[in-house]
Amino acid sequence: MAVPLDAEMSPPAGPASEAAAVEAAAQEAAAAQAAPTEEVSSAEASSDPPEPKQPEEMTVEERSAFAAKCKDIGNRGFKNGEWDYALLAYDEGLRYLEYAPGAEGMVDPLFDHGGAQRLDDDTKLAVSLFLNKAAVLLKTGDERRAADCCTQALAFDA
């Protein structure tokens, strides 16, 4: 469980910087997700980054890999004191890990999370994401939500 500890303190960002952080994190995650498969000519190149796939469009392995990339992105944000950016990245990682196919709130009974090893690895990743998120919340002075994240991490790590 690697919780980043070397970040400098800075005051919480306002709504404008939070919107910028959300946009930047989404673009970075989408760029990390898009694997370069062939060269694109300058005429075909777009200035807009690719949209990230949604969890339901991915395999279990892709969701796990994307969540791990989100953790890495969040760790960079934490190290740079970009709290909103780090928080968004950790939340996105958790969103992808928590996805389970189904309808109307019911998980598909045939859903296989990828076997016992994948489930164990994803559980460890979820614990790390919750603890990293708690560290960000402590840096921003939101002790109550940080405690809630720690409780969620303990529930996974029991």
Side-chain angles (χ1 to χ4, degrees):
M1 294 180 282
V3 178
L5 299 173
D6 311 4
E8 297 176 21
M9 285 290 280
S10 72
S17 63
E18 185 175 333
V22 168
E23 183 177 333
Q27 289 175 353
E28 185 173 346
Q33 181 184 25
T37 55
E38 59 186 56
E39 290 189 33
V40 178
S41 73
S42 60
E44 295 172 328
S46 171
S47 62
D48 296 331
E51 288 291 320
K53 289 182 184 177
Q54 293 302 307
E56 61 272 8
E57 300 169 334
M58 294 180 167
T59 66
V60 172
E61 292 79 15
E62 288 174 324
R63 284 192 296 272
S64 297
F66 188 77
K69 287 178 187 175
C70 288
K71 178 186 171 200
D72 293 341
I73 292 167
N75 288 350
R76 281 198 310 273
F78 188 99
K79 190 173 188 178
N80 294 327
E82 298 169 347
W83 312 128
D84 291 329
Y85 189 71
L87 190 62
L88 174 74
Y90 296 143
D91 279 337
E92 274 297 282
L94 287 166
R95 183 171 78 94
Y96 278 72
L97 282 181
E98 292 173 343
Y99 173 78
E104 299 180 25
M106 300 296 293
V107 176
D108 182 348
L110 300 176
F111 176 62
D112 174 18
H113 191 79
Q117 185 62 47
R118 167 71 55 209
L119 186 58
D120 186 51
D121 291 346
D122 283 353
T123 298
K124 290 175 184 174
L125 180 57
V127 168
S128 182
L129 286 165
F130 275 119
L131 293 176
N132 290 3
K133 182 178 173 180
V136 170
L137 292 167
L138 286 173
K139 291 286 189 180
T140 61
D142 195 345
E143 292 86 6
R144 178 71 178 134
R145 284 181 56 207
D148 290 343
C149 285
C150 290
T151 300
Q152 289 177 297
L154 287 170
F156 273 96
D157 206 25

